[in-house]
């Protein structure tokens, strides 16, 4: 992990496309502004993990049901 120190108003640039700017520091809270292309998704970690888990759950159950239904249809069509 790269660790950088920044002050309020200072920025970090990532690959000419993403700019992180420190907007404010209040106690233990740091506000960060992010400029990035619209095609790049940006999430807080807890939201990202929740989305990832929901996608994992929805990918497992319906796939098994859909495969079983598809096999039934294929057998019926023969």
């Amino acid at each position: 992990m790269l660790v950088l120190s920044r002050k309020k108003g200072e920025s970090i640039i990532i690959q000419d496309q993403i700019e992180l700017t420190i907007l404010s520091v209040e106690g233990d809270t740091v506000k960060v502004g992010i400029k990035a292309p619209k095609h790049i998704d940006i999430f807080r970690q807890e939201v990202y993990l929740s989305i990832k888990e929901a996608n994992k759950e929805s990918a497992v159950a319906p796939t098994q049901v859909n495969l079983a239904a598809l096999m039934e249809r294929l057998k019926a069509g023969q």
Side-chain angles (χ1 to χ4, degrees), residues 22-71:
I22 305 304
L23 302 176
S24 68
V25 180
E26 299 172 11
D28 290 342
T29 302
V30 177
K31 286 189 181 179
V32 178
I34 303 169
K35 289 183 188 177
K38 290 185 180 188
H39 69 276
I40 295 177
D41 294 327
I42 301 170
F43 301 103
R44 294 188 323 259
Q45 182 182 26
E46 62 274 15
V47 172
Y48 174 79
L49 294 175
S50 177
I51 292 168
K52 188 175 174 182
E53 184 63 29
N55 286 343
K56 183 179 175 183
E57 289 174 5
S58 63
V60 173
T63 303
Q64 292 173 347
V65 172
N66 290 340
L67 286 177
L70 178 60
M71 293 302 292

Side-chain angles (χ1 to χ4, degrees), residues 4 6 11-21 35:
L4 302 172
R6 300 278 70 202
S11 297
I12 297 168
I13 306 295
I14 302 171
Q15 292 189 348
D16 295 330
Q17 295 184 12
I18 302 169
E19 180 179 0
L20 305 174
T21 303
K35 289 183 188 177

